[in-house]
Amino acid sequence: MNFIKKAGSIAAVLAITAAGSFAYAAPATYVSLDVNPSIEYAVNTFGRVLSVKAVNDDGEVITTELDVKNVNISKAVKVTIDKLREGGYITDDEDAGIVITISAKNDEKAEELAEELEEETKEYVEEIGETAEVEAEAVGKERVEEARTLGVTPGKLNLVQKLVKSTEGIEGAEEIDMEEWLDKSVKEINKAIKENRKQLKEAAKEVEDAVEEDEENVKTADEDEIENVIEDETQEAKIKNNNGNEKNKANNLKNNKNDDVEDIEDEETEEAEAKENEDESEAAPSNKTNNSSSNKKEKNN
C-alpha cells in the first residue's frame, strides 16, 4: 500500500512536471516585429521566447546575431531594437517606424500584450533617443494565415493595406501593387501614407475654401440685395415724403388762395357798405326838405 501511495505521488508529480514542461515549451502567442527586417517570435504562456525566425532576407541578418531564447518578450524586443540600430535599420527619421503584431488563441490576452509592448517599446525608443513611431496591435488567426501565404508578417500586411486605404479619395492616385509594397520598408510605407494623407487634407482644405467662398458670395449677394431693398424703401420714402411736401404746398396755396378770396370779399363787402352809407348820406337832406315842406303845409292848414 505504501508503495502504491508513493508511486501515485510520483506519478502526480511527474504529470504536473510534464504538464508544466509542455506548457513552457508550447507556443501560446506569436509576436512579429517589422522595420524592414521582419522577425517573428514564438512565445509561451509565460511570456518567454521559445524561438525566433526571420520572415525576409533582412530579418536573416538580424536573427543570426540575435540570442533571446527564454528571454521575456518585452526584453527580447528591446534587444532586437538594439541590433536593428547597429545595423542601420533604425535611424533618426520622421518616417521611421516599428510595427509589432500579436496573435494568440485568447484575443483578450493578445490585446493586453499589444498594449504592454507598445507602451514599453515607446518608452525604450524615447530613452535611446530615436524618433521611430511605434505601433502594436492584436490580429486574428485569419490575418496571420493570410500574411503567411504572402510570405510576410501580419504587421507588414496591415501597414500596406493602410497605404491602399490612404489613396481613397485622391484623384488620379496610382493603384497600389501589394506585392511591390510588401517588399518595402516600414519607413517607405509610412512616408507614402503620410504623403497621401497630406494630399487628402489639402484637397479637403480646397473644398472647404471653395464652400466658404461660395457662402461668402451668397452672403455678399444677400447683403447687396438687402441694401438694394433698403435703398428702394428709402427712395420710396423720399418720394412719399416729396409727395407729402407737394401736397402740403398745394394745400398751402389753396389756403392762401382762399385767404385772398376772403380778403377780396371782405374788401368788396366793405366797399359795398361804404357806398351804401354814402347813398344814405346823400338821401338824408332830401328827406329833411320834404319833412319841412310837410310841416309848413300842416301849419298853413
Side-chain angles (χ1 to χ4, degrees), residues 182-195:
L182 285 171
D183 285 336
K184 293 183 181 293
S185 67
V186 170
K187 181 170 68 174
E188 290 174 298
I189 301 171
N190 277 342
K191 183 177 180 180
I193 291 173
K194 289 180 180 179
E195 288 175 353

Side-chain angles (χ1 to χ4, degrees), residues 278-288:
E278 185 178 350
D279 291 342
E280 288 178 355
S281 298
E282 289 178 355
S286 175
N287 290 336
K288 185 176 179 181

Side-chain angles (χ1 to χ4, degrees), residues 1-12:
M1 291 297 294
N2 289 335
F3 175 78
I4 292 172
K5 287 180 181 180
K6 289 180 180 180
S9 298
I10 292 171

Side-chain angles (χ1 to χ4, degrees), residues 5 25 31 36 49-50 76 81 83 92 101 115 144 154 157 170 191 201 226 241:
K5 287 180 181 180
V31 177
N36 181 36
V49 175
L50 299 176
I81 289 173
K83 289 293 182 182
D92 189 13
T101 55
E115 291 178 6
V144 173
L157 180 58
I170 298 178
K191 183 177 180 180
K201 188 175 181 181
I226 292 171
N241 187 44

Side-chain angles (χ1 to χ4, degrees), residues 156-204:
K156 179 68 74 68
L157 180 58
N158 282 351
L159 195 60
V160 173
Q161 289 184 339
K162 288 179 182 179
L163 173 62
V164 172
K165 189 173 182 180
S166 71
T167 63
E168 295 177 0
I170 298 178
E171 188 175 351
E174 294 183 5
E175 186 177 351
I176 298 298
D177 185 333
M178 292 286 292
E179 186 175 348
E180 176 188 349
W181 281 94
L182 285 171
D183 285 336
K184 293 183 181 293
S185 67
V186 170
K187 181 170 68 174
E188 290 174 298
I189 301 171
N190 277 342
K191 183 177 180 180
I193 291 173
K194 289 180 180 179
E195 288 175 353
N196 289 339
R197 288 174 177 171
K198 183 180 179 181
Q199 286 186 49
L200 283 173
K201 188 175 181 181
E202 289 174 352

Side-chain angles (χ1 to χ4, degrees), residues 209-224:
D209 291 342
V211 170
E212 288 181 357
E213 184 177 354
D214 289 342
E215 290 177 350
E216 186 64 28
N217 290 336
V218 171
K219 183 180 179 181
T220 302
D222 289 342
E223 290 175 351
D224 290 342

Side-chain angles (χ1 to χ4, degrees), residues 28-248:
T29 305
Y30 290 93
V31 177
S32 66
L33 184 148
D34 288 279
V35 175
N36 181 36
S38 294
I39 300 167
E40 185 179 81
Y41 311 85
V43 182
N44 65 18
T45 191
F46 303 104
R48 298 285 174 171
V49 175
L50 299 176
S51 63
V52 181
K53 73 174 184 177
V55 184
N56 60 9
D57 293 339
D58 287 335
E60 289 283 359
V61 176
I62 298 299
T63 55
T64 54
E65 301 177 357
L66 195 62
D67 183 14
V68 291
K69 191 173 181 179
N70 296 322
V71 175
N72 179 275
I73 182 59
S74 178
K75 175 65 176 177
V77 168
K78 294 174 184 177
V79 172
T80 304
I81 289 173
D82 289 338
K83 289 293 182 182
L84 291 168
R85 288 182 72 203
E86 291 174 10
Y89 293 105
I90 296 179
T91 58
D92 189 13
D93 191 303
E94 63 178 6
D95 297 317
I98 300 171
V99 177
I100 301 170
T101 55
I102 299 91
S103 62
K105 292 180 180 179
N106 188 315
D107 293 338
E108 186 176 346
K109 286 185 177 180
E111 291 285 353
E112 289 176 358
L113 183 56
E115 291 178 6
E116 178 184 335
L117 287 178
E118 180 171 294
E119 183 179 353
E120 292 187 7
T121 305
K122 281 182 176 179
E123 289 177 357
Y124 185 68
V125 168
E126 185 177 350
E127 180 183 327
I128 62 178
E130 297 292 347
T131 58
E133 182 180 347
V134 178
E135 182 179 352
E137 59 183 326
V139 295
K141 183 179 178 181
E142 291 181 358
R143 178 49 56 90
V144 173
E145 291 176 352
E146 183 183 358
R148 283 177 179 169
T149 301
L150 294 169
V152 297
T153 63
K156 179 68 74 68
L157 180 58
N158 282 351
L159 195 60
V160 173
Q161 289 184 339
K162 288 179 182 179
L163 173 62
V164 172
K165 189 173 182 180
S166 71
T167 63
E168 295 177 0
I170 298 178
E171 188 175 351
E174 294 183 5
E175 186 177 351
I176 298 298
D177 185 333
M178 292 286 292
E179 186 175 348
E180 176 188 349
W181 281 94
L182 285 171
D183 285 336
K184 293 183 181 293
S185 67
V186 170
K187 181 170 68 174
E188 290 174 298
I189 301 171
N190 277 342
K191 183 177 180 180
I193 291 173
K194 289 180 180 179
E195 288 175 353
N196 289 339
R197 288 174 177 171
K198 183 180 179 181
Q199 286 186 49
L200 283 173
K201 188 175 181 181
E202 289 174 352
K205 184 66 168 58
E206 289 178 2
V207 172
E208 184 180 348
D209 291 342
V211 170
E212 288 181 357
E213 184 177 354
D214 289 342
E215 290 177 350
E216 186 64 28
N217 290 336
V218 171
K219 183 180 179 181
T220 302
D222 289 342
E223 290 175 351
D224 290 342
E225 185 176 352
I226 292 171
E227 187 174 347
N228 291 334
V229 170
I230 293 173
E231 288 179 358
D232 291 342
E233 291 178 349
T234 303
Q235 190 65 26
E236 289 177 2
K238 287 180 179 179
I239 293 172
K240 186 175 181 181
N241 187 44
N242 290 335
N243 290 338
N245 292 335
E246 293 296 328
K247 187 175 181 180
N248 290 334

